[in-house]
Amino acid sequence: MYEKIGNVMQSILIKNGRVIDPSQGMDCVTNVLIENGRITGFGMRPTGKEREIDAEGKLVVPGFVDLHTHLREPGFEESETIFTGSDAALNGGYTSICCIPNTDPPIDTPADVEFIQDQAARADHCNVFVIGCISKKREGKELSEMGYLARTGVVGFSDDGSDIENADLLRRAFEYAQMFDLPIMCHTEDKNLTNRGVMHEGCVSARLGLRGIPSLAEDVMTARAIMLAEYTKGRLHLMHISTSRGVELIREAKKRGVNVTAEVTPHHLTLTDDLLVSFDTNLKMAPPLRPREDVEACIEGLLDGTLDCIATDHAPHSAEKKQREIDLAPFGIVGLETALSVLNMELILKGRLTWPQLIDKLACSPAKIIKLPSGKGTLAVGADADVAIIDPELKWTVTEKELRSRSKNSPWLGKELVGRAVCVLVNGRVRLLRR
Ligand code: DOR
């Protein structure tokens, strides 16, 4: 039900949409002109030469930028590939994604980075940026060749999936990454405190007899990462923050002027740990779903700017791996294709967030955090025409068939959601068009 148009650089006029671009404080109904892959103006009338896209009743926004996508290639192609993952991104309104290096082998050499860049170019779906490993082979023992990785254009460093246990190594990483003005992106988790837990430690885990993961496992490492960033004056980006204490720690750190940014996932903003009564392994992720107080603290943090952006932590796992007892199933859920819809239903339609606020958190702010090359996360004149057209009222049901990700491990499977991208342009070319 979609069309992909080839390589022709055609002028395009997106007509009569509600154009929302928080990067320039824009929210009005107008036409957007795209020429040679870039935004060239607003309010122009059709001349008959452009391809016209009717966006009446729709939102025209900067394409979303995801700072946290697991593409699984190389090594876990049964779960996702660069082709399928970047296609899933388009299906969710994303025009840029940053892939996490916990692949096999991990992305810790320039050749690994170039492999991803080549595969992404071949797939030709959306922009794929690469995050390099902090430590060699993600073993937490020795720093990766960060300088060489920086030269290939990585946008940050992370050992996501686990934390760096050795605080001295993390300190060196902060110091070294400063030379390249790149962020250290921290998955904050003390695995000793996690201690084979499978869900948040609290009343629900006690009732279900499931081993719990205390909030402390995240919070002590969030505090440590902030202290190291403060000490070294390095750039810290905190991944998938999920606790009220974590939000408080970041709020205080920002007040002190620490160079820290943070992301929160759609699931930590919309789901709670009591859902685990279903024992659905598609509710098992790291960090785990938390109680309502933590969800509320994350929403508050998002609203007051403590949490800078929303990132999916799109973590595909094949059915063979996920359809096991909850103790054995891997952590993680897919998220690229449902993020917009669930955030619309749970935050916008419930009056917690406005569209401009949400677009800022999904597109403008993430682009700024990793200092993407000019023209991403904005519709400013001269910017790359990475654009999503959203139908805020479109209802759709999450089915395995609707998801383009190779894995279907979504807690929203079978649910009807509202709001979806209907057209996505990347560098001025239509890459998704839903009819
Ligand atoms: O749920 C998660 N899954 N959290 C992580 O940090 C890693 C990810 C994965 O790679 O599956």
Side-chain angles (χ1 to χ4, degrees), residues 43-88:
M44 276 81 165
R45 303 217 167 151
T47 63
K49 290 195 188 122
E50 309 87 10
R51 173 176 176 192
E52 295 177 28
I53 298 177
D54 182 17
E56 192 163 343
K58 316 265 189 330
L59 314 177
V60 180
V61 303
F64 306 151
V65 176
D66 191 29
L67 296 188
H68 198 145
T69 307
H70 294 271
L71 288 177
R72 303 293 190 223
E73 185 181 354
F76 306 102
E77 290 84 352
E78 74 287 359
S79 297
E80 193 77 286
T81 63
I82 292 162
F83 187 94
T84 57
S86 56
D87 199 21

mmCIF file of all heavy atoms in Angstrom, residues 43-88:
data_model
loop_
_atom_site.group_PDB
_atom_site.id
_atom_site.type_symbol
_atom_site.label_atom_id
_atom_site.label_comp_id
_atom_site.label_asym_id
_atom_site.label_seq_id
_atom_site.Cartn_x
_atom_site.Cartn_y
_atom_site.Cartn_z
ATOM 1 N N GLY A 43 4.770 29.035 1.575
ATOM 2 C CA GLY A 43 3.692 29.893 1.093
ATOM 3 C C GLY A 43 3.645 30.068 -0.417
ATOM 4 O O GLY A 43 2.837 30.844 -0.926
ATOM 5 N N MET A 44 4.523 29.395 -1.150
ATOM 6 C CA MET A 44 4.514 29.520 -2.612
ATOM 7 C C MET A 44 3.280 28.861 -3.204
ATOM 8 O O MET A 44 2.812 27.854 -2.699
ATOM 9 C CB MET A 44 5.745 28.843 -3.223
ATOM 10 C CG MET A 44 6.957 29.711 -3.226
ATOM 11 S SD MET A 44 7.731 29.676 -1.625
ATOM 12 C CE MET A 44 9.315 30.370 -2.058
ATOM 13 N N ARG A 45 2.810 29.423 -4.292
ATOM 14 C CA ARG A 45 1.682 28.802 -4.997
ATOM 15 C C ARG A 45 2.208 27.816 -6.025
ATOM 16 O O ARG A 45 3.331 27.982 -6.518
ATOM 17 C CB ARG A 45 0.909 29.888 -5.735
ATOM 18 C CG ARG A 45 0.450 30.954 -4.776
ATOM 19 C CD ARG A 45 -0.889 31.449 -5.143
ATOM 20 N NE ARG A 45 -1.380 32.218 -4.012
ATOM 21 C CZ ARG A 45 -2.214 33.211 -4.145
ATOM 22 N NH1 ARG A 45 -2.659 33.524 -5.332
ATOM 23 N NH2 ARG A 45 -2.640 33.845 -3.097
ATOM 24 N N PRO A 46 1.375 26.861 -6.409
ATOM 25 C CA PRO A 46 1.811 25.906 -7.439
ATOM 26 C C PRO A 46 2.044 26.609 -8.768
ATOM 27 O O PRO A 46 1.320 27.538 -9.110
ATOM 28 C CB PRO A 46 0.626 24.942 -7.550
ATOM 29 C CG PRO A 46 -0.306 25.255 -6.441
ATOM 30 C CD PRO A 46 0.036 26.585 -5.890
ATOM 31 N N THR A 47 3.069 26.193 -9.470
ATOM 32 C CA THR A 47 3.313 26.771 -10.804
ATOM 33 C C THR A 47 2.963 25.753 -11.889
ATOM 34 O O THR A 47 3.050 26.051 -13.073
ATOM 35 C CB THR A 47 4.812 27.133 -10.968
ATOM 36 O OG1 THR A 47 5.563 25.916 -10.891
ATOM 37 C CG2 THR A 47 5.290 28.106 -9.929
ATOM 38 N N GLY A 48 2.626 24.553 -11.469
ATOM 39 C CA GLY A 48 2.334 23.493 -12.447
ATOM 40 C C GLY A 48 3.559 22.664 -12.756
ATOM 41 O O GLY A 48 3.475 21.591 -13.346
ATOM 42 N N LYS A 49 4.725 23.148 -12.306
ATOM 43 C CA LYS A 49 5.968 22.406 -12.611
ATOM 44 C C LYS A 49 6.312 21.403 -11.506
ATOM 45 O O LYS A 49 7.069 20.472 -11.719
ATOM 46 C CB LYS A 49 7.128 23.379 -12.766
ATOM 47 C CG LYS A 49 7.023 24.217 -14.023
ATOM 48 C CD LYS A 49 8.356 24.896 -14.333
ATOM 49 C CE LYS A 49 8.189 25.869 -15.473
ATOM 50 N NZ LYS A 49 8.559 27.234 -15.112
ATOM 51 N N GLU A 50 5.785 21.665 -10.305
ATOM 52 C CA GLU A 50 6.171 20.802 -9.187
ATOM 53 C C GLU A 50 5.237 19.601 -9.079
ATOM 54 O O GLU A 50 4.090 19.664 -9.522
ATOM 55 C CB GLU A 50 6.085 21.550 -7.838
ATOM 56 C CG GLU A 50 6.782 22.867 -7.769
ATOM 57 C CD GLU A 50 5.885 24.008 -8.245
ATOM 58 O OE1 GLU A 50 4.679 23.793 -8.435
ATOM 59 O OE2 GLU A 50 6.428 25.113 -8.440
ATOM 60 N N ARG A 51 5.758 18.568 -8.457
ATOM 61 C CA ARG A 51 4.867 17.496 -8.019
ATOM 62 C C ARG A 51 4.133 18.021 -6.790
ATOM 63 O O ARG A 51 4.756 18.546 -5.863
ATOM 64 C CB ARG A 51 5.699 16.270 -7.646
ATOM 65 C CG ARG A 51 4.859 15.198 -7.025
ATOM 66 C CD ARG A 51 5.672 13.967 -6.766
ATOM 67 N NE ARG A 51 4.835 12.992 -6.081
ATOM 68 C CZ ARG A 51 5.281 11.911 -5.513
ATOM 69 N NH1 ARG A 51 6.564 11.646 -5.556
ATOM 70 N NH2 ARG A 51 4.467 11.076 -4.919
ATOM 71 N N GLU A 52 2.835 17.894 -6.762
ATOM 72 C CA GLU A 52 2.080 18.439 -5.628
ATOM 73 C C GLU A 52 1.644 17.317 -4.695
ATOM 74 O O GLU A 52 1.178 16.275 -5.133
ATOM 75 C CB GLU A 52 0.847 19.202 -6.139
ATOM 76 C CG GLU A 52 1.252 20.435 -6.938
ATOM 77 C CD GLU A 52 0.055 21.176 -7.530
ATOM 78 O OE1 GLU A 52 -1.034 21.095 -6.948
ATOM 79 O OE2 GLU A 52 0.247 21.822 -8.583
ATOM 80 N N ILE A 53 1.840 17.532 -3.400
ATOM 81 C CA ILE A 53 1.379 16.565 -2.399
ATOM 82 C C ILE A 53 0.378 17.291 -1.505
ATOM 83 O O ILE A 53 0.713 18.315 -0.895
ATOM 84 C CB ILE A 53 2.558 16.020 -1.555
ATOM 85 C CG1 ILE A 53 3.558 15.279 -2.461
ATOM 86 C CG2 ILE A 53 2.054 15.100 -0.446
ATOM 87 C CD1 ILE A 53 4.795 14.757 -1.752
ATOM 88 N N ASP A 54 -0.825 16.782 -1.486
ATOM 89 C CA ASP A 54 -1.873 17.445 -0.711
ATOM 90 C C ASP A 54 -1.773 17.025 0.757
ATOM 91 O O ASP A 54 -1.866 15.836 1.063
ATOM 92 C CB ASP A 54 -3.245 17.055 -1.285
ATOM 93 C CG ASP A 54 -4.363 17.750 -0.535
ATOM 94 O OD1 ASP A 54 -4.073 18.737 0.181
ATOM 95 O OD2 ASP A 54 -5.519 17.296 -0.638
ATOM 96 N N ALA A 55 -1.576 17.996 1.638
ATOM 97 C CA ALA A 55 -1.427 17.668 3.069
ATOM 98 C C ALA A 55 -2.544 18.300 3.897
ATOM 99 O O ALA A 55 -2.404 18.501 5.105
ATOM 100 C CB ALA A 55 -0.064 18.116 3.563
ATOM 101 N N GLU A 56 -3.656 18.592 3.262
ATOM 102 C CA GLU A 56 -4.758 19.224 3.993
ATOM 103 C C GLU A 56 -5.217 18.309 5.149
ATOM 104 O O GLU A 56 -5.399 17.098 4.954
ATOM 105 C CB GLU A 56 -5.931 19.499 3.048
ATOM 106 C CG GLU A 56 -6.913 20.404 3.728
ATOM 107 C CD GLU A 56 -7.892 21.067 2.770
ATOM 108 O OE1 GLU A 56 -7.637 21.082 1.552
ATOM 109 O OE2 GLU A 56 -8.914 21.541 3.275
ATOM 110 N N GLY A 57 -5.347 18.886 6.327
ATOM 111 C CA GLY A 57 -5.766 18.101 7.500
ATOM 112 C C GLY A 57 -4.621 17.308 8.116
ATOM 113 O O GLY A 57 -4.811 16.587 9.094
ATOM 114 N N LYS A 58 -3.422 17.451 7.544
ATOM 115 C CA LYS A 58 -2.273 16.680 8.031
ATOM 116 C C LYS A 58 -1.233 17.624 8.667
ATOM 117 O O LYS A 58 -1.283 18.846 8.477
ATOM 118 C CB LYS A 58 -1.597 15.932 6.869
ATOM 119 C CG LYS A 58 -2.555 15.234 5.911
ATOM 120 C CD LYS A 58 -2.741 13.806 6.290
ATOM 121 C CE LYS A 58 -3.508 12.964 5.285
ATOM 122 N NZ LYS A 58 -4.516 13.565 4.458
ATOM 123 N N LEU A 59 -0.298 17.020 9.354
ATOM 124 C CA LEU A 59 0.806 17.797 9.947
ATOM 125 C C LEU A 59 2.044 17.598 9.086
ATOM 126 O O LEU A 59 2.341 16.475 8.672
ATOM 127 C CB LEU A 59 1.096 17.306 11.362
ATOM 128 C CG LEU A 59 -0.101 17.073 12.283
ATOM 129 C CD1 LEU A 59 0.362 16.527 13.632
ATOM 130 C CD2 LEU A 59 -0.881 18.371 12.465
ATOM 131 N N VAL A 60 2.738 18.684 8.810
ATOM 132 C CA VAL A 60 3.983 18.603 8.029
ATOM 133 C C VAL A 60 5.110 18.983 8.980
ATOM 134 O O VAL A 60 5.153 20.108 9.497
ATOM 135 C CB VAL A 60 3.939 19.561 6.816
ATOM 136 C CG1 VAL A 60 5.221 19.474 6.010
ATOM 137 C CG2 VAL A 60 2.721 19.265 5.950
ATOM 138 N N VAL A 61 5.989 18.031 9.262
ATOM 139 C CA VAL A 61 6.967 18.224 10.344
ATOM 140 C C VAL A 61 8.355 17.752 9.902
ATOM 141 O O VAL A 61 8.470 16.991 8.933
ATOM 142 C CB VAL A 61 6.538 17.432 11.608
ATOM 143 C CG1 VAL A 61 5.141 17.838 12.060
ATOM 144 C CG2 VAL A 61 6.590 15.929 11.384
ATOM 145 N N PRO A 62 9.390 18.195 10.607
ATOM 146 C CA PRO A 62 10.721 17.642 10.298
ATOM 147 C C PRO A 62 10.712 16.137 10.546
ATOM 148 O O PRO A 62 10.139 15.678 11.548
ATOM 149 C CB PRO A 62 11.662 18.334 11.290
ATOM 150 C CG PRO A 62 10.878 19.415 11.956
ATOM 151 C CD PRO A 62 9.429 19.144 11.732
ATOM 152 N N GLY A 63 11.309 15.350 9.673
ATOM 153 C CA GLY A 63 11.386 13.897 9.859
ATOM 154 C C GLY A 63 12.018 13.599 11.203
ATOM 155 O O GLY A 63 12.918 14.312 11.668
ATOM 156 N N PHE A 64 11.565 12.525 11.851
ATOM 157 C CA PHE A 64 12.058 12.210 13.190
ATOM 158 C C PHE A 64 13.490 11.686 13.132
ATOM 159 O O PHE A 64 13.922 11.102 12.141
ATOM 160 C CB PHE A 64 11.172 11.170 13.872
ATOM 161 C CG PHE A 64 9.712 11.559 13.908
ATOM 162 C CD1 PHE A 64 8.717 10.589 13.904
ATOM 163 C CD2 PHE A 64 9.329 12.892 13.946
ATOM 164 C CE1 PHE A 64 7.377 10.938 13.927
ATOM 165 C CE2 PHE A 64 7.989 13.256 13.973
ATOM 166 C CZ PHE A 64 7.010 12.263 13.960
ATOM 167 N N VAL A 65 14.181 11.901 14.257
ATOM 168 C CA VAL A 65 15.582 11.486 14.384
ATOM 169 C C VAL A 65 15.670 10.569 15.604
ATOM 170 O O VAL A 65 15.346 10.996 16.716
ATOM 171 C CB VAL A 65 16.486 12.733 14.592
ATOM 172 C CG1 VAL A 65 17.933 12.323 14.822
ATOM 173 C CG2 VAL A 65 16.358 13.694 13.407
ATOM 174 N N ASP A 66 16.059 9.325 15.390
ATOM 175 C CA ASP A 66 16.137 8.396 16.525
ATOM 176 C C ASP A 66 17.588 8.188 16.940
ATOM 177 O O ASP A 66 18.418 7.760 16.137
ATOM 178 C CB ASP A 66 15.499 7.042 16.175
ATOM 179 C CG ASP A 66 15.340 6.171 17.414
ATOM 180 O OD1 ASP A 66 15.174 6.741 18.521
ATOM 181 O OD2 ASP A 66 15.396 4.926 17.297
ATOM 182 N N LEU A 67 17.867 8.491 18.187
ATOM 183 C CA LEU A 67 19.245 8.351 18.684
ATOM 184 C C LEU A 67 19.545 6.935 19.151
ATOM 185 O O LEU A 67 20.658 6.647 19.568
ATOM 186 C CB LEU A 67 19.480 9.310 19.875
ATOM 187 C CG LEU A 67 19.397 10.800 19.595
ATOM 188 C CD1 LEU A 67 19.844 11.590 20.817
ATOM 189 C CD2 LEU A 67 20.239 11.189 18.397
ATOM 190 N N HIS A 68 18.560 6.032 19.071
ATOM 191 C CA HIS A 68 18.758 4.732 19.717
ATOM 192 C C HIS A 68 18.045 3.623 18.942
ATOM 193 O O HIS A 68 16.943 3.199 19.305
ATOM 194 C CB HIS A 68 18.226 4.826 21.160
ATOM 195 C CG HIS A 68 18.728 3.757 22.062
ATOM 196 N ND1 HIS A 68 19.004 3.962 23.382
ATOM 197 C CD2 HIS A 68 18.997 2.450 21.841
ATOM 198 C CE1 HIS A 68 19.425 2.837 23.943
ATOM 199 N NE2 HIS A 68 19.426 1.893 23.012
ATOM 200 N N THR A 69 18.676 3.134 17.882
ATOM 201 C CA THR A 69 18.098 2.073 17.052
ATOM 202 C C THR A 69 19.064 0.888 16.996
ATOM 203 O O THR A 69 20.228 1.058 16.620
ATOM 204 C CB THR A 69 17.884 2.573 15.610
ATOM 205 O OG1 THR A 69 17.136 3.791 15.623
ATOM 206 C CG2 THR A 69 17.129 1.544 14.778
ATOM 207 N N HIS A 70 18.570 -0.279 17.343
ATOM 208 C CA HIS A 70 19.392 -1.489 17.178
ATOM 209 C C HIS A 70 19.075 -2.087 15.811
ATOM 210 O O HIS A 70 17.947 -2.534 15.581
ATOM 211 C CB HIS A 70 19.080 -2.506 18.288
ATOM 212 C CG HIS A 70 19.471 -2.028 19.656
ATOM 213 N ND1 HIS A 70 20.730 -2.245 20.186
ATOM 214 C CD2 HIS A 70 18.783 -1.333 20.590
ATOM 215 C CE1 HIS A 70 20.789 -1.707 21.399
ATOM 216 N NE2 HIS A 70 19.622 -1.142 21.668
ATOM 217 N N LEU A 71 20.058 -2.089 14.933
ATOM 218 C CA LEU A 71 19.821 -2.629 13.574
ATOM 219 C C LEU A 71 20.271 -4.080 13.437
ATOM 220 O O LEU A 71 19.998 -4.723 12.427
ATOM 221 C CB LEU A 71 20.497 -1.747 12.523
ATOM 222 C CG LEU A 71 19.827 -0.386 12.285
ATOM 223 C CD1 LEU A 71 20.610 0.445 11.264
ATOM 224 C CD2 LEU A 71 18.391 -0.536 11.827
ATOM 225 N N ARG A 72 21.015 -4.561 14.410
ATOM 226 C CA ARG A 72 21.361 -6.002 14.528
ATOM 227 C C ARG A 72 22.289 -6.560 13.460
ATOM 228 O O ARG A 72 22.678 -7.716 13.538
ATOM 229 C CB ARG A 72 20.092 -6.867 14.567
ATOM 230 C CG ARG A 72 19.122 -6.520 15.663
ATOM 231 C CD ARG A 72 19.689 -6.821 17.033
ATOM 232 N NE ARG A 72 18.674 -6.708 18.071
ATOM 233 C CZ ARG A 72 18.877 -6.135 19.238
ATOM 234 N NH1 ARG A 72 20.050 -5.628 19.555
ATOM 235 N NH2 ARG A 72 17.920 -6.075 20.126
ATOM 236 N N GLU A 73 22.579 -5.810 12.434
ATOM 237 C CA GLU A 73 23.486 -6.287 11.394
ATOM 238 C C GLU A 73 24.826 -5.569 11.564
ATOM 239 O O GLU A 73 24.818 -4.355 11.694
ATOM 240 C CB GLU A 73 22.891 -5.975 10.010
ATOM 241 C CG GLU A 73 23.716 -6.532 8.858
ATOM 242 C CD GLU A 73 23.129 -6.183 7.484
ATOM 243 O OE1 GLU A 73 22.021 -5.610 7.424
ATOM 244 O OE2 GLU A 73 23.806 -6.455 6.494
ATOM 245 N N PRO A 74 25.935 -6.273 11.601
ATOM 246 C CA PRO A 74 26.109 -7.703 11.347
ATOM 247 C C PRO A 74 25.870 -8.572 12.598
ATOM 248 O O PRO A 74 25.975 -8.083 13.723
ATOM 249 C CB PRO A 74 27.587 -7.779 10.948
ATOM 250 C CG PRO A 74 28.237 -6.666 11.718
ATOM 251 C CD PRO A 74 27.218 -5.573 11.781
ATOM 252 N N GLY A 75 25.550 -9.822 12.329
ATOM 253 C CA GLY A 75 25.575 -10.814 13.411
ATOM 254 C C GLY A 75 24.232 -11.366 13.831
ATOM 255 O O GLY A 75 24.141 -12.514 14.223
ATOM 256 N N PHE A 76 23.193 -10.516 13.786
ATOM 257 C CA PHE A 76 21.883 -10.990 14.255
ATOM 258 C C PHE A 76 20.818 -10.710 13.197
ATOM 259 O O PHE A 76 19.736 -10.191 13.492
ATOM 260 C CB PHE A 76 21.518 -10.316 15.580
ATOM 261 C CG PHE A 76 22.571 -10.462 16.644
ATOM 262 C CD1 PHE A 76 23.443 -9.415 16.942
ATOM 263 C CD2 PHE A 76 22.720 -11.670 17.331
ATOM 264 C CE1 PHE A 76 24.429 -9.551 17.909
ATOM 265 C CE2 PHE A 76 23.703 -11.810 18.312
ATOM 266 C CZ PHE A 76 24.561 -10.748 18.594
ATOM 267 N N GLU A 77 21.155 -11.072 11.958
ATOM 268 C CA GLU A 77 20.269 -10.716 10.840
ATOM 269 C C GLU A 77 18.931 -11.429 10.906
ATOM 270 O O GLU A 77 18.001 -11.049 10.194
ATOM 271 C CB GLU A 77 20.960 -11.004 9.498
ATOM 272 C CG GLU A 77 22.120 -10.084 9.159
ATOM 273 C CD GLU A 77 23.447 -10.512 9.789
ATOM 274 O OE1 GLU A 77 23.447 -11.444 10.619
ATOM 275 O OE2 GLU A 77 24.479 -9.901 9.445
ATOM 276 N N GLU A 78 18.823 -12.455 11.742
ATOM 277 C CA GLU A 78 17.515 -13.108 11.879
ATOM 278 C C GLU A 78 16.537 -12.181 12.613
ATOM 279 O O GLU A 78 15.322 -12.351 12.518
ATOM 280 C CB GLU A 78 17.642 -14.464 12.613
ATOM 281 C CG GLU A 78 17.884 -14.410 14.117
ATOM 282 C CD GLU A 78 19.306 -13.976 14.515
ATOM 283 O OE1 GLU A 78 20.143 -13.725 13.617
ATOM 284 O OE2 GLU A 78 19.573 -13.874 15.723
ATOM 285 N N SER A 79 17.077 -11.177 13.335
ATOM 286 C CA SER A 79 16.217 -10.262 14.083
ATOM 287 C C SER A 79 15.950 -8.959 13.315
ATOM 288 O O SER A 79 14.852 -8.391 13.400
ATOM 289 C CB SER A 79 16.858 -9.905 15.422
ATOM 290 O OG SER A 79 16.987 -11.062 16.223
ATOM 291 N N GLU A 80 16.956 -8.452 12.629
ATOM 292 C CA GLU A 80 16.820 -7.194 11.870
ATOM 293 C C GLU A 80 18.012 -7.066 10.946
ATOM 294 O O GLU A 80 19.074 -7.663 11.216
ATOM 295 C CB GLU A 80 16.789 -5.999 12.833
ATOM 296 C CG GLU A 80 16.349 -4.670 12.237
ATOM 297 C CD GLU A 80 14.835 -4.570 12.024
ATOM 298 O OE1 GLU A 80 14.320 -5.216 11.087
ATOM 299 O OE2 GLU A 80 14.188 -3.852 12.804
ATOM 300 N N THR A 81 17.825 -6.308 9.870
ATOM 301 C CA THR A 81 18.966 -5.948 9.026
ATOM 302 C C THR A 81 18.946 -4.433 8.848
ATOM 303 O O THR A 81 17.967 -3.773 9.224
ATOM 304 C CB THR A 81 18.879 -6.603 7.631
ATOM 305 O OG1 THR A 81 17.708 -6.089 6.980
ATOM 306 C CG2 THR A 81 18.819 -8.119 7.713
ATOM 307 N N ILE A 82 19.995 -3.928 8.265
ATOM 308 C CA ILE A 82 20.035 -2.482 8.020
ATOM 309 C C ILE A 82 18.906 -2.120 7.049
ATOM 310 O O ILE A 82 18.251 -1.085 7.199
ATOM 311 C CB ILE A 82 21.437 -2.099 7.497
ATOM 312 C CG1 ILE A 82 22.443 -2.299 8.642
ATOM 313 C CG2 ILE A 82 21.469 -0.663 6.973
ATOM 314 C CD1 ILE A 82 23.885 -2.396 8.225
ATOM 315 N N PHE A 83 18.625 -3.010 6.096
ATOM 316 C CA PHE A 83 17.552 -2.772 5.133
ATOM 317 C C PHE A 83 16.189 -2.733 5.837
ATOM 318 O O PHE A 83 15.444 -1.771 5.712
ATOM 319 C CB PHE A 83 17.567 -3.873 4.056
ATOM 320 C CG PHE A 83 16.612 -3.605 2.931
ATOM 321 C CD1 PHE A 83 17.040 -2.970 1.769
ATOM 322 C CD2 PHE A 83 15.274 -3.982 3.028
ATOM 323 C CE1 PHE A 83 16.159 -2.706 0.733
ATOM 324 C CE2 PHE A 83 14.384 -3.715 1.998
ATOM 325 C CZ PHE A 83 14.827 -3.081 0.848
ATOM 326 N N THR A 84 15.882 -3.778 6.604
ATOM 327 C CA THR A 84 14.539 -3.836 7.215
ATOM 328 C C THR A 84 14.378 -2.788 8.326
ATOM 329 O O THR A 84 13.316 -2.184 8.479
ATOM 330 C CB THR A 84 14.238 -5.235 7.794
ATOM 331 O OG1 THR A 84 15.262 -5.581 8.746
ATOM 332 C CG2 THR A 84 14.183 -6.296 6.704
ATOM 333 N N GLY A 85 15.440 -2.559 9.074
ATOM 334 C CA GLY A 85 15.349 -1.585 10.171
ATOM 335 C C GLY A 85 15.166 -0.167 9.653
ATOM 336 O O GLY A 85 14.385 0.618 10.213
ATOM 337 N N SER A 86 15.872 0.161 8.560
ATOM 338 C CA SER A 86 15.730 1.530 8.034
ATOM 339 C C SER A 86 14.388 1.694 7.323
ATOM 340 O O SER A 86 13.846 2.795 7.248
ATOM 341 C CB SER A 86 16.913 1.894 7.138
ATOM 342 O OG SER A 86 17.068 0.958 6.093
ATOM 343 N N ASP A 87 13.841 0.581 6.827
ATOM 344 C CA ASP A 87 12.498 0.622 6.239
ATOM 345 C C ASP A 87 11.455 0.827 7.344
ATOM 346 O O ASP A 87 10.504 1.613 7.195
ATOM 347 C CB ASP A 87 12.240 -0.709 5.500
ATOM 348 C CG ASP A 87 11.111 -0.597 4.496
ATOM 349 O OD1 ASP A 87 10.785 0.534 4.070
ATOM 350 O OD2 ASP A 87 10.539 -1.648 4.139
ATOM 351 N N ALA A 88 11.639 0.136 8.464
ATOM 352 C CA ALA A 88 10.742 0.305 9.613
ATOM 353 C C ALA A 88 10.779 1.766 10.087
ATOM 354 O O ALA A 88 9.750 2.340 10.451
ATOM 355 C CB ALA A 88 11.160 -0.623 10.751
#
